[in-house]
Amino acid sequence: MVLGLGTLFVALAVAMTFPSLDQLRSATPSNEGDPFFLQWVLRWDAHALVTSPRHVLDASIFFPWKHTLLYSDTLLPVAPIAGLLALPLGNVLAFDLLYVASWVASLSAAYALARLVGLGRSGAVVAAIVATFAAPRLAHYGHFQIDLSFLIPLALWLLLRFLDRRHLWHAALLGTAVASAGMCFVYGGLMLAVAVPVIVVGWIIATHGKPGPRFFMGMLLAAAIVAVLTYPLTSGSEHLVRDPAFQQQFQSQADLFKARPGDLLAPAAGSRLYGALDRRAARQGRGIENRLFPGFLAVALGAVGLYETLRRLRTGRATSTERSFVLVIIACATGFVLAFGKSQHGFPMPYALLAHLPGFGTARGLARFMILAILGLGLLAGRGFDALMQRRPQIFTLAAAVVIGALMLAEYQIPIETSPAVTSQSATAAYRALHHLPAGPVVELPMGDPNRVGGAYVEPTRLLLSTIDWHPRVNGYSGLDPPDYAETISLMNALATGNTAPTASLARLRALGVRYLVVHTKPLGRAEPPANLRAPNLDYYPPQTVARLESRLPRSLVTFTRREGDAILIQLDP
């Protein structure tokens, strides 16, 4: 049975999330923006943990700012695995295997949780499909940190196992899972920060204030492990919380990325079955964060499951398993409520009550809380399927599970884009040359401006290539920008494109102690995203602009200038 389920889950994960197995060694899922950035995060983590673990949070971006790894999800718990796999397999294959494994783990964890709360095997598979492939998950297939959402059902499974058996090692693993979720995927940590207390308090109420032996000891152990493992991150992020410039970035995006009722009819982009709904969502400007379609079949089965749950409660079936199911559903329902943010059309929403708590006040992609709600919907859908199959012959139940599972997968299926790794000699030449030069801050020109159309696709590819030399970069890309980054972009790009002598730009170069300029003369990687976004002065300079730049740099400042493949490498006097 275990082997059969494992084979099924691997097949589903490959078919739904990476059908191009021939590209396992040469390309990675999704585009060249956030997905490339997240691969760089993994490589930075693995590199820093070996070479300078005390400074792992001081990532080699946005020089000279500190703690820049905290501008996004850190992925630290996964980095050692990624680093070890990369040694024999290479970075691309190692990442792709971890990517597929994360989807298999999502199916497995959701299935295990479903079985623990009383679902049959077929119902648990239905629950796993909904929790893993519904739009709030699959729309984010390029966001590796969200692919690690299996930590949510895993943590809830560990919590219920502890409540049932009271083994302290379950509590210790629970604390480790919660901490890992927070370090890999901040929103996963926030979801568990709500869901776990809901279940714990519900359990105390259900047991009339007598939760039993070792209950409080286990909860304290789990909390202590979370506090110890996450302390370096929470203490390091304090300056982000206090700085008004960062607060402004948090607030400006929190309202933009909250859920809205219409999002529930927005399937993941490229939906093969619901093209009309997809096009409608695109016209309405709904991006990845607001593609929250749960699936019509899942909702229908979920309604049956909810009816069955209420029927059981009315008949007084208060078994331990039933109690666990109800508490998990209530905990997951909080995700649905919180996803809609602090207000909707001027009316306050429950999230406003949490907005002043640590972590919640700086959350931006609030629609991601729907991942927790989808887990609850999956469990209800699985129970609904089990209820409809009661007293049916086993062969009929199996056939129905195959049909319903296939229909659900068809509802969720989207085309999976891949991006080839940039490995050509001409693209990597400048980075290989830097590897042999003394360490020093680097500016890559033109600096990618995230506020320009296509700007989000400029820096991530460069970051991946910077792992060849590991020199610090004034450039960067992440979930946040340093307060002075927009000004730095303007000043650095003015070296070549400004209308007047760049006195202020040269002064900024000297103030930053920049030692190398890498001037790109061709686009890195493929010609997509659309060729019109690969425009001169966006991610490369045409010859006349390069000539202008070279003429504006004082000779006393330049040590050498030489072409390296598709770039000009300029060393400045330190």
Side-chain angles (χ1 to χ4, degrees):
M1 177 58 68
V2 173
L3 180 61
L5 275 174
T7 302
L8 173 64
F9 289 163
V10 170
L12 291 179
V14 170
M16 293 294 289
T17 68
F18 201 82
S20 305
L21 288 180
D22 58 316
Q23 296 183 313
L24 275 174
R25 291 182 176 274
S26 60
T28 51
S30 197
N31 57 41
E32 299 164 318
D34 286 359
F36 273 25
F37 165 71
L38 292 165
Q39 292 177 60
W40 170 82
V41 170
L42 280 175
R43 296 188 198 181
W44 164 260
D45 291 346
H47 168 76
L49 287 173
V50 171
T51 60
S52 184
R54 293 181 59 188
H55 299 285
V56 66
L57 299 183
D58 299 325
S60 60
I61 54 175
F62 301 127
F63 179 85
W65 288 80
K66 301 296 183 181
H67 290 174
T68 51
L69 187 64
L70 296 176
Y71 291 4
S72 184
D73 295 300
T74 67
L75 301 178
L76 281 167
V78 189
I81 302 172
L84 289 173
L85 283 176
L87 292 176
L89 302 178
N91 286 308
V92 175
L93 179 57
F95 177 81
D96 284 346
L97 291 178
L98 279 176
Y99 166 82
V100 174
S102 71
W103 292 99
V104 176
S106 291
L107 288 163
S108 303
Y111 176 87
L113 179 63
R115 292 289 286 154
L116 187 62
V117 296
L119 272 64
R121 289 190 179 94
S122 296
V125 171
V126 169
I129 288 174
V130 175
T132 302
F133 297 128
R137 286 292 316 279
L138 195 55
H140 286 277
Y141 74 92
H143 290 145
F144 180 68
Q145 78 277 38
I146 298 181
D147 301 340
L148 301 173
S149 293
F150 71 86
L151 290 165
I152 297 172
L154 175 61
L156 298 184
W157 184 88
L158 288 166
L159 173 60
L160 295 179
R161 293 291 282 183
F162 170 74
L163 293 175
D164 181 50
R165 301 191 177 188
R166 302 303 166 90
H167 297 315
L168 290 181
W169 65 272
H170 279 139
L173 289 177
L174 168 64
T176 304
V178 173
S180 298
M183 289 188 284
C184 288
F185 174 38
V186 170
Y187 296 95
L190 295 179
M191 291 176 215
L192 290 172
V194 175
V196 170
V198 166
I199 294 174
V200 169
V201 171
W203 193 275
I204 293 174
I205 294 173
T207 56
H208 306 289
K210 299 177 180 180
R214 290 196 285 192
F215 173 84
F216 294 105
M217 183 184 301
M219 291 297 97
L220 286 174
L221 175 62
I225 290 174
V226 172
V228 170
L229 291 180
T230 60
Y231 176 76
L233 274 64
T234 55
S235 61
S237 61
E238 286 181 3
H239 74 284
L240 299 181
V241 177
R242 294 194 304 265
D243 194 313
F246 287 113
Q247 279 290 335
Q248 186 176 2
Q249 294 185 55
F250 292 134
Q251 298 303 321
S252 65
Q253 296 182 33
D255 193 59
L256 179 63
F257 295 136
K258 67 183 179 184
R260 294 171 176 80
D263 297 345
L264 299 174
L265 287 176
S271 173
R272 297 188 186 278
L273 192 60
Y274 298 120
L277 288 177
D278 178 27
R279 291 188 292 272
R280 176 175 175 270
R283 288 195 302 271
Q284 294 172 340
R286 301 185 192 277
I288 291 175
E289 302 288 350
N290 298 98
R291 300 297 186 115
L292 304 178
F293 177 61
F296 292 122
L297 193 53
V299 171
L301 286 174
V304 177
L306 179 60
Y307 173 81
E308 174 67 11
T309 301
L310 295 175
R311 185 187 69 79
R312 293 187 184 192
L313 290 176
R314 286 198 301 270
T315 56
R317 294 179 58 179
T319 64
S320 175
T321 300
E322 188 63 24
R323 177 197 303 158
S324 297
F325 181 87
V326 171
L327 289 176
V328 170
I329 294 301
I330 293 172
C332 291
T334 62
F336 181 83
V337 175
L338 296 178
F340 289 90
K342 292 187 288 186
S343 65
Q344 288 283 326
H345 303 291
F347 293 97
M349 298 293 288
Y351 192 90
L353 300 174
L354 303 178
H356 301 291
L357 297 179
F360 290 92
T362 54
R364 296 166 295 155
L366 302 183
R368 297 181 181 184
F369 279 91
M370 201 64 73
I371 292 171
L372 183 60
I374 286 296
L375 174 61
L377 176 62
L379 295 174
L380 286 172
R383 169 164 282 187
F385 177 84
D386 285 347
L388 293 174
M389 294 299 111
Q390 282 181 351
R391 303 184 186 88
R392 303 282 187 181
Q394 187 174 2
I395 188 66
F396 181 88
T397 300
L398 180 60
V402 170
V403 172
I404 287 178
L407 290 174
M408 283 182 166
L409 294 172
E411 281 194 294
Y412 301 142
Q413 190 177 37
I414 59 173
I416 300 299
E417 179 186 10
T418 58
S419 297
V422 180
T423 58
S424 70
Q425 293 290 312
S426 58
T428 60
Y431 302 91
R432 287 184 282 108
L434 282 170
H435 175 70
H436 297 289
L437 293 172
V442 179
V443 170
E444 299 194 43
L445 295 174
M447 286 186 72
D449 187 347
N451 295 315
R452 289 185 61 183
V453 174
Y457 295 95
V458 175
E459 296 296 344
T461 305
R462 297 174 177 177
L463 287 181
L464 271 185
L465 294 179
S466 75
T467 62
I468 297 172
D469 62 77
W470 284 123
H471 291 333
R473 260 46 179 195
V474 174
N475 305 60
Y477 178 85
S478 192
L480 297 171
D481 299 328
D484 66 346
Y485 192 57
E487 180 185 17
T488 297
I489 292 174
S490 177
L491 289 171
M492 294 300 98
N493 288 342
L495 284 167
T497 59
N499 294 323
T500 58
T503 304
S505 301
L506 294 173
R508 179 62 63 94
L509 274 179
R510 292 188 176 96
L512 292 172
V514 173
R515 193 163 190 182
Y516 305 103
L517 298 179
V518 176
V519 186
H520 293 278
T521 60
K522 291 183 180 179
L524 287 175
R526 59 180 179 173
E528 296 178 353
N532 64 328
L533 301 185
R534 295 285 189 185
N537 301 331
L538 179 64
D539 68 341
Y540 71 95
Y541 283 149
Q544 62 271 24
T545 308
V546 175
R548 176 188 291 184
L549 169 64
E550 292 177 327
S551 69
R552 289 182 167 186
L553 293 174
R555 292 184 179 181
S556 60
L557 184 64
V558 177
T559 301
F560 70 74
T561 299
R562 66 178 186 234
R563 174 167 286 279
E564 297 286 353
D566 293 337
I568 305 295
L569 176 60
I570 303 174
Q571 179 173 321
L572 304 180
D573 188 334

